[in-house]
Amino acid sequence: MVTKGLIVTTVLTTLIVSGCSERTDKSTSSVETVKEVPEPVKLTLYQRGANISDEEFRALIAEPVQKKYPYITVELVRSTQDASPVSLLSGGSLPDLLFANPGTLREIKELKAVEDLTELVRSTRFDLSRFESYTIDAIRTNGGDPNKLYGIPFSVNFSVLYYNKDIFDKFGEAYPVDGMTWDEVTSLARKVTRSENGQPYYGLHPADVDRMAGQLSIGAYDPNTRKATLTSEGWLRVFAANKAVWDIQGNQPGNNITAFMKDRNLAMMPQLGARLGELEDLHKQGVPLNWDMVSYPTFPEAPQTGSETDVHTLSITSTSKHKEAAFKVIEVVSEDATQLEKTRRGRQSGLKDPKYKESFGSGLQTLQGKHVAAIFQIIPAKPRFSDKYSDIAKNQIATAMNKVIKGEADINSALREAEELANKQIEAAINK
């Protein structure tokens, strides 16, 4: 009996243990399955300042991310009057990711709503050395702290001098060439500014005067004195260069983009790379413009130096509850395949590898046969110091330039008045 009891007990014990082991294995397997299939994550991306079309968002962000991480979806939220950073933040609905230009990045940082990516870069071993150093430096400068990184480059907004070949052909004048200074381009503009059969032709719409100042690293504000610096020799220099273009008899074009793209009576237009999309649209519509481009005009004292580095960035908001998933989006967008597709579509990559320059614009019909090399002959100027007080000073520049153009004030008087007004507003903001 003892033997039989022992046998029964042993069998039962074996069955119980086996059952427990089976349940444990199933439980463990179930847990492992959950780990292998993460919970779905829905991220929102807020577009403000920097432009991105619906098609670009789909092809360069949403689809590549979902292909690599099926559980992550990204939706686009565009900035509107009702969807400003302040209103979204106060309502607790600021998106997870930010697609922005330098001004917007500073704006969100002022609200203390953008995340420092330094730790995420370190923990994921994200390789910043792949990027051109000036792009990372620009983001750190715009963030106001060289030890913090508030974004990763999405693309670099380049500048070139676009020109209408038909106008130069019509008047028998030579096309502009690479390496021209502002004075040389202004002289060329005089040759093609005229009126024929009641049709005005304008030689050149100058660049924004502050953009020209950026080429020479001329700031509007001194953070040490907390004063505007609009009466410096540098500002006199760029105001005079800008005024020289407007002083050409008959050269008073209105909206430069309309004059160049639609009216087609503007010979030269110094502008950003974003214009390529509009030129491509004209091509697709069957009304292509006979255009080409050369390197952006420079100043003799700063040869090969273009406009300030204008990096469009992807950032993560400090309010996001999905920071790790959001950084995965940044990683995917920074991968080779996505970067190559981006450059193929006419967006300049911030990555060093020459292959990105070689593939630039290959997907755009309007760029076939164009002087694409002009884009890469100019080095962007280093970004100037910028904060909310420098923005106050810079806000006076356009008004001062308009007074000069209209003959309401000479350059010295206009800049002196602008500086005085800026200092009053800066003082009020400091004491607020």
Side-chain angles (χ1 to χ4, degrees):
M1 290 295 293
V2 174
T3 304
K4 288 182 180 179
L6 179 60
I7 293 172
V8 171
T9 302
T10 302
V11 171
L12 287 173
T13 302
T14 302
L15 289 173
I16 291 169
V17 170
S18 298
C20 289
S21 298
E22 185 176 354
R23 285 194 296 273
T24 301
D25 290 344
K26 287 180 179 179
S27 176
T28 302
S29 175
S30 176
V31 171
E32 288 175 352
T33 302
V34 171
K35 287 182 179 178
E36 290 172 1
V37 184
E39 289 292 325
V41 177
K42 178 180 175 181
L43 301 174
T44 49
L45 183 147
Y46 184 48
Q47 174 266 324
R48 181 176 173 86
N51 292 322
I52 186 169
S53 68
D54 290 342
E55 166 61 15
E56 285 179 314
F57 170 74
R58 178 194 63 76
L60 302 177
I61 298 178
E63 287 187 356
V65 169
Q66 190 141 64
K67 182 178 180 181
K68 185 164 185 176
Y69 299 107
Y71 66 95
I72 299 178
T73 57
V74 188
E75 294 186 357
L76 181 63
V77 176
R78 296 194 183 276
S79 174
T80 64
Q81 189 173 359
D82 295 329
S84 68
V86 173
S87 63
L88 290 172
L89 184 61
S90 62
S93 57
L94 190 65
D96 303 278
L97 288 150
L98 173 67
F99 182 81
N101 63 6
T104 298
L105 185 58
R106 290 196 306 274
E107 181 184 13
I108 305 296
K109 182 182 175 288
E110 286 287 335
L111 297 172
K112 295 180 173 56
V114 64
E115 185 78 4
D116 175 18
L117 302 180
T118 303
E119 180 55 30
L120 281 167
V121 167
R122 186 201 62 77
S123 64
T124 60
R125 297 183 181 179
F126 185 81
D127 189 3
L128 291 178
S129 68
R130 296 172 61 221
F131 294 89
E132 295 283 4
S133 60
Y134 68 81
T135 63
I136 302 298
D137 291 344
I139 294 172
R140 292 190 190 279
T141 298
N142 287 313
D145 188 333
N147 297 314
K148 294 185 178 181
L149 185 66
Y150 292 109
I152 298 296
F154 177 84
S155 60
V156 181
N157 203 4
F158 61 88
S159 297
V160 291
L161 180 68
Y162 299 92
Y163 66 94
N164 184 325
K165 297 174 75 172
D166 287 341
I167 294 178
F168 286 91
D169 292 343
K170 183 179 182 66
F171 300 127
E173 297 293 342
Y175 300 147
V177 296
D178 290 330
M180 297 181 78
T181 65
W182 281 110
D183 287 344
E184 290 170 335
V185 171
T186 301
S187 295
L188 180 57
R190 292 190 182 97
K191 298 178 180 180
V192 290
T193 299
R194 63 185 74 181
S195 181
E196 187 169 283
N197 299 322
Q199 172 64 56
Y201 290 92
Y202 309 112
L204 173 69
H205 192 294
D208 175 86
V209 68
D210 182 52
R211 186 173 289 275
M212 294 173 75
Q215 291 181 260
L216 297 176
S217 300
I218 300 167
Y221 169 78
D222 184 344
N224 295 315
T225 63
R226 287 190 162 187
K227 298 288 185 182
T229 56
L230 297 176
T231 56
S232 69
E233 287 297 322
W235 282 108
L236 292 172
R237 169 85 166 94
V238 295
F239 262 59
N242 196 278
K243 181 177 182 292
V245 179
W246 293 109
D247 283 347
I248 298 173
Q249 185 65 36
N251 189 58
Q252 288 80 37
N255 182 286
N256 60 342
I257 299 172
T258 299
F260 192 81
M261 303 281 188
K262 182 180 178 182
D263 300 336
R264 306 190 179 192
N265 60 349
L266 175 61
M268 294 179 286
M269 177 180 69
Q271 258 287 350
L272 298 170
R275 303 285 77 81
L276 289 181
E278 296 159 15
L279 289 164
E280 177 73 358
D281 287 342
L282 291 175
H283 196 100
K284 290 179 178 179
Q285 293 165 13
V287 286
L289 183 69
N290 187 19
W291 69 282
D292 210 332
M293 57 185 164
V294 294
S295 61
Y296 197 73
T298 61
F299 289 97
E301 56 266 50
Q304 291 189 302
T305 303
S307 301
E308 283 176 282
T309 303
D310 183 12
V311 183
H312 292 172
T313 57
L314 279 177
S315 304
I316 299 175
T317 60
S318 56
T319 56
S320 173
K321 297 179 180 178
H322 307 287
K323 293 183 176 66
E324 290 186 4
F327 196 76
K328 289 185 184 298
V329 172
I330 291 175
E331 289 179 309
V332 171
V333 172
S334 302
E335 289 176 351
D336 280 357
T338 315
Q339 290 285 318
L340 284 169
E341 177 62 18
K342 185 188 307 175
T343 57
R344 197 185 72 81
R345 290 168 173 263
R347 278 186 178 266
Q348 185 178 353
S349 172
L351 297 180
K352 294 177 181 178
D353 197 310
K355 66 186 177 185
Y356 301 113
K357 294 179 181 178
E358 295 166 3
S359 66
F360 185 88
S362 60
L364 299 180
Q365 296 177 2
T366 191
L367 269 184
Q368 303 309 306
K370 298 297 190 294
H371 182 43
V372 176
I375 296 169
F376 307 107
Q377 294 188 20
I378 295 295
I379 301 170
K382 292 181 179 180
R384 296 165 288 179
F385 173 85
S386 189
D387 64 6
K388 61 183 179 182
Y389 302 122
S390 64
D391 287 343
I392 290 173
K394 288 172 69 173
N395 286 340
Q396 300 301 322
I397 295 169
T399 300
M401 192 70 236
N402 285 333
K403 288 183 178 180
V404 172
I405 293 170
K406 294 177 181 178
E408 297 173 358
D410 59 52
I411 294 176
N412 285 289
S413 300
L415 286 172
R416 184 171 58 253
E417 181 182 340
E419 184 174 277
E420 291 172 356
L421 183 56
N423 281 332
K424 288 180 181 179
Q425 294 179 355
I426 290 169
E427 184 178 1
I430 291 173
N431 295 327
K432 188 174 180 180

